[in-house]
Amino acid sequence: VGDRWCPHCASNAAGCDFFGTGTCPAMADAAVNASIVAGVAAAVKKRLNLKTLLSGRYLKIFSGSAISTIERLARHPALGEAYEFDIDTPHREVLSGIGLNGYTKDNAVDRVGDLLDEHAGDAAKVAKLELLLKLIKAKKDVEDFQEADGNIGHVIFIWARLSQVVKAGGILHKVALSSGEEGAGVRGSMSATIARFDVSESWNCSEVMNYFYIFAYVFGVASPIVVGQFFQDCFYDVIRHHGYPVQVGYELIVILLNKVDESLGKLNLSNVCEKVHFNSAITQAVHNAQAFFPKLHVSGRLGVKEAAVEWNSRFTKGAKRACPCFNLNVAHNASVLRSDGTCMHDHICDKFVSNKGPGGRCGGNHARVKCDNPARCEEEQQ
């Protein structure tokens, strides 16, 4: 309408009436995609749709098989839960479950055998199961979706896929449908290998993050507002305030995305930085970065040695996080100190307690290791 443009589809989507009725197909499709990924019951039979949300060049990043992979990872049973299907389970859902959480074709065949015995007197159900059996046997063998540290979820799969696109030097035009190396260094749609970038390629990390802004929204993982705050907390703040190199911030993102996938829905991009022991995650990120790049100089504090900054006995009252060094009764290190030596965290107890609701912590003027709160507990309250 004139020089006004729909903020969702740039007025390109067929049927967009944002300035009339306030509706846009892109808004509706984004909501449906989010419900699919979230496992909303009403969306079980729906499929992820990107066509109204992206222009043609970006649609090439995720092939149809890669999009199906994301659906499978989002819908598959949580780690530790047995996958099961019955006579009413759609064939597509059964086939999608093979290869996830160690569920093999042999497992599926055995289950069909059990169902055949159970429904032997019903010709229609037997015919349906026999067709399913043929489909299972015809299905190409696939590897489990795994990274070095275990089974993965749809969030880290999206990140891995985008990192491979950037590593290959641009948007894919052809993607293999099975596991294995692709000519341009990009693995097939079943792959979850995360690309890494050395110091000379540091700007590539930002490109992966930019793609993630787009596809986290498109696939219903999180809004750009949530993603932006997540990146600020775990990437830009770690570089600006802690002085770590880009590679440490990148590894921290990977660690936290894995924690979101492994949390069985308890963590998301808006709360993961609050819920995890953040300094422990940074320590692991430093270790990972040095493992991938042994010559990487990681000292923190913008190249100043940690010993050059000493705690001045002051802390930040009312800060968002409790100080891990105070709570463990150990010396303050540079990762928790500002340049003037003030601890950037509050000196309060971070011990979980049972009388403050979900995620409640003690908050007393003592360390976790000395907590005597009668309501203290070892597990976070849900």
Side-chain angles (χ1 to χ4, degrees), residues 6 8-9 15-28:
C6 170
H8 302 282
C9 72
C16 177
D17 191 27
F18 183 78
F19 293 103
T21 61
T23 60
C24 172
M27 296 170 61

Side-chain angles (χ1 to χ4, degrees), residues 3 6-7 39-41 80 102 123 133 175 209 218 225 233 235 301 312 327-328 330 332 348-349 353 355 358 369:
D3 59 353
C6 170
V40 175
L133 188 60
V175 178
M209 293 164 66
V218 166
I225 296 172
D233 288 343
F235 184 80
R301 198 61 57 206
N312 61 13
N327 274 286
L328 294 174
V330 298
H332 283 66
I348 55 175
C349 178
V353 292
N355 62 349
V369 294

Side-chain angles (χ1 to χ4, degrees), residues 82-342:
Y83 175 70
E84 195 66 280
F85 61 88
D86 56 31
I87 188 66
D88 297 318
T89 305
H91 289 174
R92 181 173 65 84
E93 184 178 329
V94 175
L95 297 174
S96 294
I98 297 173
L100 296 176
N101 283 8
Y103 197 81
T104 66
K105 286 172 60 175
D106 289 340
N107 295 142
V109 169
D110 289 343
R111 176 57 180 163
V112 172
D114 292 339
L115 292 173
L116 283 169
D117 290 339
E118 182 179 341
H119 301 285
D122 190 321
K125 291 182 177 180
V126 168
K128 180 179 179 180
L129 290 168
E130 288 177 342
L131 173 59
L132 176 59
L133 188 60
K134 290 180 180 179
L135 292 173
I136 292 172
K137 291 181 177 179
K139 182 177 174 64
K140 186 174 181 179
D141 288 322
V142 296
E143 299 174 356
D144 288 346
F145 291 85
Q146 291 184 335
E147 258 287 1
D149 55 353
N151 287 284
I152 69 165
H154 62 288
V155 180
I156 198 65
F157 178 85
I158 293 170
W159 180 269
R161 190 72 179 165
L162 296 173
S163 73
Q164 289 289 347
V165 169
V166 173
K167 190 73 171 180
I171 292 175
L172 304 179
H173 293 279
K174 181 181 179 182
V175 178
L177 297 181
S178 60
S179 298
E181 295 292 338
E182 167 107 341
V186 178
R187 300 191 67 187
S189 63
M190 301 298 186
S191 172
T193 302
I194 298 171
R196 263 80 181 187
F197 308 96
D198 63 25
V199 175
S200 66
E201 302 175 303
S202 294
W203 64 274
N204 284 337
C205 298
S206 293
E207 188 174 3
V208 179
M209 293 164 66
N210 186 59
Y211 277 137
F212 192 79
Y213 273 111
I214 298 170
F215 285 95
Y217 174 72
V218 166
F219 285 120
V221 173
S223 73
I225 296 172
V226 171
V227 175
Q229 293 178 85
F230 170 72
F231 283 153
Q232 188 65 46
D233 288 343
C234 73
F235 184 80
Y236 295 109
D237 283 356
V238 166
I239 295 170
R240 181 186 298 275
H241 298 306
H242 294 272
Y244 287 112
V246 168
Q247 286 71 22
V248 172
Y250 185 90
E251 292 302 324
L252 184 58
I253 291 174
V254 172
I255 289 169
L256 295 179
L257 292 182
N258 266 313
K259 288 187 179 295
V260 169
D261 274 337
E262 295 168 354
S263 69
L264 307 182
K266 296 177 182 177
L267 298 178
N268 53 58
L269 298 189
S270 67
N271 69 11
V272 64
C273 293
E274 295 294 319
K275 295 289 187 178
V276 303
H277 287 290
F278 200 69
N279 280 74
S280 297
I282 292 178
T283 300
Q284 183 62 47
V286 170
H287 173 80
N288 291 356
Q290 290 179 318
F292 285 108
F293 305 105
K295 295 183 180 180
L296 183 67
H297 178 65
V298 179
S299 62
R301 198 61 57 206
L302 298 177
V304 178
K305 293 182 179 179
E306 293 188 0
V309 181
E310 295 182 355
W311 184 41
N312 61 13
S313 299
R314 297 198 297 270
F315 59 92
T316 306
K317 189 172 182 61
K320 218 172 187 181
R321 298 189 180 95
C323 175
C325 297
F326 169 76
N327 274 286
L328 294 174
N329 198 27
V330 298
H332 283 66
N333 56 56
S335 68
V336 300
L337 300 177
R338 294 193 175 92
S339 57
D340 66 350
T342 300

Side-chain angles (χ1 to χ4, degrees), residues 31-46 74-75:
V32 170
N33 288 351
S35 66
I36 292 171
V37 169
V40 175
V44 168
K45 295 185 178 181
K46 296 181 179 180
R75 287 171 164 168

Side-chain angles (χ1 to χ4, degrees), residues 24-34 36 48-53 218:
C24 172
M27 296 170 61
D29 287 341
V32 170
N33 288 351
I36 292 171
L48 290 171
N49 181 19
L50 281 59
K51 291 182 179 179
T52 61
L53 295 164
V218 166

